[in-house]
Amino acid sequence: MAKVKVAKISDVPEGGMIKVVVERDQIALYKIDGKIFATTNICSHEYCELDENHMMHGDVVECMCHGSQFKVKTGENVLPPAAEPLKTYKVSVENDDIFIEM
């Protein structure tokens, strides 16, 4: 697995998310209680980019296209219509730099 620098902690708003692109993968970075989490940026229900169509509820992201909700820490879907979890990525932080394992 390759460890890739994707952003700075200061780039991600507390309680919010940003999208980064690594090669062709769209990845959503979230900051919850000062910690960084990463999932795919594409809803598992239908192709919908979360960074453009979402609402945050604490540590849950809601896809506004069809209402699916996912825990950002685990990718687990907690509200249909999505039946599959979001892919998650292992995150590490060094100083202000965010790295993910691809």
Side-chain angles (χ1 to χ4, degrees):
M1 290 189 186
K3 183 175 167 181
V4 179
K5 179 181 171 183
V6 293
K8 295 191 171 292
I9 292 177
S10 55
D11 294 335
V12 186
E14 179 62 44
M17 63 151 0
I18 63 167
K19 174 180 84 172
V20 296
V21 178
V22 178
E23 297 173 8
R24 293 186 173 180
D25 294 327
Q26 290 189 38
I27 299 165
L29 298 177
Y30 310 85
K31 186 188 293 181
I32 308 296
D33 297 326
K35 295 183 180 178
I36 303 295
F37 301 91
T39 70
T40 180
N41 188 51
I42 307 301
C43 180
S44 65
H45 172 242
E46 288 189 18
Y47 188 96
C48 189
E49 294 183 24
L50 293 174
D51 70 301
E52 295 179 6
N53 303 287
H54 78 283
M55 183 178 293
M56 295 297 297
H57 308 283
D59 67 348
V60 173
V61 63
E62 178 179 356
C63 178
M64 299 307 289
C65 291
H66 298 103
S68 296
Q69 294 183 11
F70 306 90
K71 289 186 178 182
V72 301
K73 296 176 181 180
T74 63
E76 173 189 1
N77 63 307
V78 293
L79 188 68
E84 298 294 321
L86 295 177
K87 178 180 177 181
T88 59
Y89 297 86
K90 184 175 179 183
V91 175
S92 60
V93 175
E94 297 174 15
N95 299 315
D96 190 42
D97 296 327
I98 300 169
F99 295 85
I100 60 169
E101 288 187 17
M102 297 298 294

